[in-house]
Amino acid sequence: MTDVQTPDTQAAAQGEPAQGEPAQGEPAQGEPAERDAARQQLAPDAGWGRWAWRQLTSMRTALILLFLLALGAIPGSILPQQGADPASVTQYFASHPALAPWLNRLGLFNVFASPWFAAIYLLLFISLVGCVVPRTFRLVGSARTPPPRAPRNLARLPQSSSYASALEPAAAVEHAAGILGKQRFRLRRPDAGGTDYWVSAEKGYLREAGNLLFHLSLLGVLLSIAAGGLFGYKADKLLVEGGSFSDTVSALDEIHPGRLVSDSDFAPFSLTLNKFTANYIESGESIGQPSNFDASVTYTASPGGQAKTYNIRINDPLSVDGAKVYLIGHGYAPEFKVTGANGQVTYSESTPFIPENTSTFESDGVVKAPDSSLGFEGVFVPTAITVAGTLESIFPSADNPEVSLNGYYGNLGMNSGQPQSVYQLDTSDMTEISGSPHLLQPGQTWTLPNGKGSVTFVGVKQWASLAVTYDPGQVPALVCGMLALAGLLVSFFVRRRRVFVRAVPAASGTGSIVTVGGLTRSDASGGFEEEFAELAAEISEAETSPAQSSTQSSTRPSDPDAQP
Amino acid sequence: MFKAKRRTVVTVTAVVAVLLAGALAATLLTQGKGNASDDFVTNQAGQRPLAPDITAKSLTGAAISLSSYRGKTLVLNFWGSWCAPCRAEAPTLAYLSKEHGSKGVAFLGDDVEDTPQNGLAFERSFGITYPSFNDPGYLVAQEFYKVAPVNDTPTTIVIDKTGHIVGEVLGEVSFGEMTTLLQDAAVIQ
């Protein structure tokens, strides 16, 4: 606990070498006594509360929470996330049937919305608020506080030097004060009428301001993220080439709205996917790796507006009506035509299949034709070869597409009203059609036995998965992040430093002995020694009779007694 | 005096932090419940918003205008052949359209995210004889986003003789809900 400076103990630790900080009310020594008194006044429960509050708002706790936040984000970037890529989550469940449910219970597929992540976030937020708000009051107080009185023995300070001056003590001190004042030090002189001749000077208040700016900006970042969570939304939409959607609640596949987002807050734009292009490396070591994605879209910002075109690429989203549309995934949508027993078409659609293997794009999907009581489970391969009787894909582009279908006849269970996944076929009330699985190339038709109808593999289109995000907190978060960095730099490079000058009459009767002492609270960037030496030299050399002055400088290593 | 002031500051800070934390907790823990289903909305007479006038192609390719239904009470049902609750409510709508067709009530569908072939097969299956817009991109549905948001599939909107919106059902309709809306539209007693 002692290595941590809570707001209160920090004030005590930074107690001044001499008394007199009216805004803080108490000298350094008075602090523990005051706290004990406060503790006695409060009930034991309140004492515990106070202790817990102080622990929570300590810098150590804040750092631990910040570390936990970073740690919590790791599974968010390693495991597929429900919000960003639901298809990969489904895929993960399929390939890790034992592990995935446990990870799901821990919320690891939706880390950023999980209660434990929220708890870390909230505790960090409270910790920062509890640290920063009292700090703001203290900074305002400290900015209005004059420097402390000069210590009696300046030679005991870490930096000190003395010289003999031809001036009387009062004039010598006044002369030094003039030089310090010109260097924009804040000055303090003794009360009038005393026989003590000294001046205290302090500089570097900007350090606290930078520190404060950093903390306030950090709060700003958190508030911006919270604002994004409250007023923003994130939604996914899968579109087959030629397909379109409008940004309404029912048209989007999956929506994660903020608490304060109402259904009419969605930007009323609409968008059509004209063409999706994916290029793959065709030779060499990284054969099959994607080299380029491009989704060509036409959009209108509001109903009846002018149609515009745009090419959405990875890291090149479409900005429309305050929302951003990102390209987050793609795949193949084989087109099927199904006819029923009476020969009438009951299904004709490009059906999105989900890639099970992202290097070969072997994909799974289902076709549901409830109006002819037919259902098919299919595997699509873009570049088919047959290895020992099984269908495999060797390349991700659709060079030699082929599908393998398992047919089912019966009740698909859709008329009961229970919503179903479009990627799963409920075969519990269905019977498998003989001749399954059946291989089809584009244009080929499988005529089902017993006059149950037919299915035709018409051709293949591609689909693109788009994420629509609206985050009003993004720009404020960036600005606050930059301000936080600026504040941090200021607090690192600006030193809070004090210089004291004291003069006593010389033993010879005329002139005086002037002692200059200096200390800095924290000299992380170094350089105070040089600054002090220059300053001391300037004070002594600017005297009217420089020949008489003999400067004697001493630099002591950090003296624990003198260190405030 | 300073002591008291500092304690006040700490207390105020604590209260503010706890309030913020509570609000954030509520946000983070309850978000993602945007898809309301089975909501039932009725508008008081005199406070019924005007339905937009829309002209679009039907599943068979004919142009249909909403304004051509003025003078009749219109039941506008948003559906898709792929949508299980739509399939479950289809017999109800088919029955109501036959029952009230002679009483000045017209029915019109809007087939969303579907192909005409799939939609027509659905209509054949359930014996639905009224026409439907072909609306694969939800463009007709979007026109209603200010007056009666189509936030679920299915959604059913009832429009009175003057073109004003009586109310809507989000999710599968029931006989009771439809009866209430048609009574509100002053069609059936």
Side-chain angles (χ1 to χ4, degrees):
Chain A
M1 208 167 33
T2 46
D3 59 328
V4 182
Q5 296 195 335
T6 67
D8 278 10
T9 55
Q10 210 164 11
Q14 288 179 355
E16 313 304 331
Q19 290 95 342
E21 289 224 30
Q24 294 210 351
E26 306 288 331
Q29 310 91 288
E31 194 77 12
E34 180 216 358
R35 217 182 298 153
D36 287 345
R39 207 171 272 161
Q40 276 162 13
Q41 278 172 17
L42 296 162
D45 288 352
W48 275 105
R50 212 177 151 81
W51 176 83
W53 175 248
R54 196 165 286 138
Q55 288 301 303
L56 180 63
T57 55
S58 77
M59 195 185 285
R60 181 174 60 177
T61 307
L63 285 174
I64 290 172
L65 288 169
L66 203 60
F67 178 68
L68 284 177
L69 205 67
L71 210 62
I74 292 175
S77 50
I78 291 177
L79 292 170
Q81 294 295 294
Q82 198 68 53
D85 193 0
S88 296
V89 175
T90 314
Q91 202 178 323
Y92 195 91
F93 264 88
S95 52
H96 302 84
L99 184 64
W102 281 102
L103 296 177
N104 192 36
R105 250 164 253 170
L106 294 171
L108 293 179
F109 292 116
N110 209 352
V111 166
F112 303 109
S114 65
W116 59 265
F117 196 80
I120 298 174
Y121 178 92
L122 290 174
L123 283 174
L124 179 62
F125 190 80
I126 296 168
S127 174
L128 278 173
V129 170
C131 172
V132 169
V133 174
R135 222 169 214 276
T136 314
F137 287 98
R138 203 167 314 114
L139 175 86
V140 173
S142 118
R144 297 209 317 242
T145 310
R149 302 165 64 88
R152 197 144 295 280
N153 190 353
L154 293 182
R156 288 186 63 186
L157 292 177
Q159 310 285 326
S160 70
S161 76
S162 66
Y163 65 94
S165 169
L167 298 170
E168 289 304 308
V173 164
E174 212 40 52
H175 161 79
I179 289 171
L180 289 169
K182 263 185 213 151
Q183 300 224 3
R184 297 193 295 125
F185 274 85
R186 189 177 294 186
L187 302 179
R188 180 178 181 181
R189 293 185 179 80
D191 301 329
T195 51
D196 241 6
Y197 302 104
W198 54 264
V199 62
S200 301
E202 186 164 11
K203 203 176 177 179
Y205 289 87
L206 210 55
R207 178 191 176 83
E208 287 300 313
N211 204 343
L212 192 80
L213 179 67
F214 169 71
H215 281 81
L216 285 177
S217 304
L218 219 53
L219 270 186
V221 170
L222 288 174
L223 279 175
S224 304
I225 294 171
L230 286 173
F231 299 103
Y233 63 84
K234 193 173 175 308
D236 295 331
K237 178 66 184 175
L238 187 151
L239 273 187
V240 177
E241 285 172 314
S244 56
F245 80 103
S246 59
D247 189 34
T248 56
V249 173
S250 55
L252 295 161
D253 294 337
E254 188 149 342
I255 307 172
H256 304 278
R259 187 64 189 157
L260 301 181
V261 173
S262 79
D263 294 335
S264 53
D265 284 347
F266 286 80
F269 71 88
S270 57
L271 185 152
T272 304
L273 177 66
N274 304 321
K275 189 171 169 47
F276 178 81
T277 317
N279 297 321
Y280 302 96
I281 296 165
E282 295 193 356
S283 60
E285 254 179 40
S286 45
I287 183 167
Q289 295 290 310
S291 58
N292 185 44
F293 298 115
D294 187 321
S296 161
V297 300
T298 303
Y299 67 96
T300 48
S302 58
Q306 205 186 345
K308 294 173 183 162
T309 58
Y310 193 82
N311 285 44
I312 304 176
R313 297 188 177 92
I314 304 289
N315 295 329
D316 186 9
L318 164 70
S319 294
V320 55
D321 215 357
K324 281 203 158 69
V325 184
Y326 293 88
L327 176 62
I328 57 168
H330 69 109
Y332 290 101
E335 185 180 348
F336 294 99
K337 194 160 114 183
V338 180
T339 58
N342 56 11
Q344 279 183 314
V345 177
T346 56
Y347 184 95
S348 173
E349 199 173 338
S350 295
T351 314
F353 274 38
I354 302 300
E356 298 303 316
N357 181 329
T358 47
S359 59
T360 64
F361 269 80
E362 186 178 315
S363 310
D364 290 352
V366 300
V367 174
K368 296 183 189 184
D371 295 306
S372 51
S373 301
L374 290 171
F376 301 91
E377 287 175 342
V379 176
F380 170 85
V381 287
T383 302
I385 53 157
T386 309
V387 181
T390 53
L391 193 61
E392 278 184 20
S393 179
I394 52 164
F395 198 70
S397 68
D399 296 337
N400 182 27
E402 209 166 315
V403 289
S404 162
L405 293 179
N406 272 354
Y408 296 87
Y409 183 84
N411 181 4
L412 284 85
M414 289 172 75
N415 292 9
S416 67
Q418 196 61 42
Q420 294 186 348
S421 162
V422 294
Y423 303 109
Q424 273 166 358
L425 187 66
D426 178 5
T427 58
S428 55
D429 283 341
M430 304 182 85
T431 49
E432 190 163 356
I433 294 169
S434 59
S436 297
H438 195 94
L439 289 182
L440 291 174
Q441 286 176 339
Q444 290 186 336
T445 299
W446 175 20
T447 306
L448 303 174
N450 306 324
K452 294 225 160 49
S454 69
V455 55
T456 306
F457 176 26
V458 179
V460 63
K461 287 183 175 177
Q462 294 194 79
W463 57 259
S465 177
L466 302 173
V468 182
T469 61
Y470 171 63
D471 187 355
Q474 225 165 31
V475 173
L478 179 70
V479 170
C480 289
M482 277 155 52
L483 286 176
L485 191 66
L488 200 63
L489 289 176
V490 166
S491 73
F492 269 144
F493 290 113
V494 174
R495 291 181 303 276
R496 189 89 181 257
R497 55 242 194 243
R498 289 173 179 164
V499 173
F500 305 99
V501 180
R502 209 174 247 286
V504 291
S508 60
T510 58
S512 54
I513 301 296
V514 181
T515 313
V516 186
L519 66 89
T520 176
R521 274 180 176 180
S522 49
D523 198 7
S525 55
F528 181 64
E529 280 178 31
E530 290 77 23
E531 188 188 4
F532 177 81
E534 276 172 30
L535 203 59
E538 195 181 336
I539 291 169
S540 62
E541 279 164 21
E543 288 265 352
T544 42
S545 50
Q548 282 189 353
S549 75
S550 63
T551 308
Q552 169 201 37
S553 200
S554 79
T555 298
R556 294 158 61 101
S558 219
D559 184 342
D561 290 340
Q563 197 75 293
Chain B
M1 186 188 140
F2 291 118
K3 264 190 250 175
K5 226 183 221 171
R6 188 186 295 175
R7 201 166 306 134
T8 313
V9 166
V10 169
T11 313
V12 167
T13 309
V15 168
V16 166
V18 165
L19 284 178
L20 277 172
L24 271 165
T27 306
L28 289 166
L29 300 176
T30 58
Q31 72 183 163
K33 291 183 180 166
N35 259 340
S37 65
D38 242 37
D39 280 337
F40 181 53
V41 180
T42 54
N43 298 317
Q44 298 273 315
Q47 292 172 357
R48 293 172 179 167
L50 192 65
D53 184 22
I54 299 159
T55 303
K57 287 273 167 65
S58 76
L59 289 173
T60 53
I64 302 177
S65 295
L66 277 190
S67 59
S68 68
Y69 287 91
R70 288 284 165 87
K72 283 183 172 182
T73 299
L74 178 64
V75 176
L76 178 57
N77 173 244
F78 296 83
W79 62 278
S81 69
W82 46 269
C83 143
C86 305
R87 301 185 75 86
E89 70 172 7
T92 306
L93 291 169
Y95 172 82
L96 286 171
S97 71
K98 286 176 186 112
E99 183 73 11
H100 298 300
S102 57
K103 298 176 192 165
V105 183
F107 281 69
L108 177 64
D110 183 76
D111 183 16
V112 294
E113 211 166 0
D114 219 344
T115 60
Q117 292 92 332
N118 298 8
L120 291 169
F122 173 96
E123 291 183 347
R124 282 197 303 271
S125 289
F126 294 102
I128 285 170
T129 50
Y130 55 82
S132 275
F133 288 122
N134 174 30
D135 189 16
Y138 292 87
L139 296 178
V140 173
Q142 191 189 32
E143 297 278 352
F144 283 87
Y145 83 101
K146 273 185 185 155
V147 287
V150 182
N151 287 340
D152 207 346
T153 309
T155 289
T156 306
I157 297 175
V158 175
I159 301 169
D160 68 15
K161 288 173 186 166
T162 59
H164 290 80
I165 293 168
V166 178
E168 64 173 331
V169 180
L170 298 167
E172 194 179 325
V173 297
S174 65
F175 269 105
E177 287 165 334
M178 286 312 291
T179 306
T180 307
L181 283 178
L182 290 175
Q183 273 169 350
D184 283 359
V187 193
I188 55 175
Q189 268 69 45

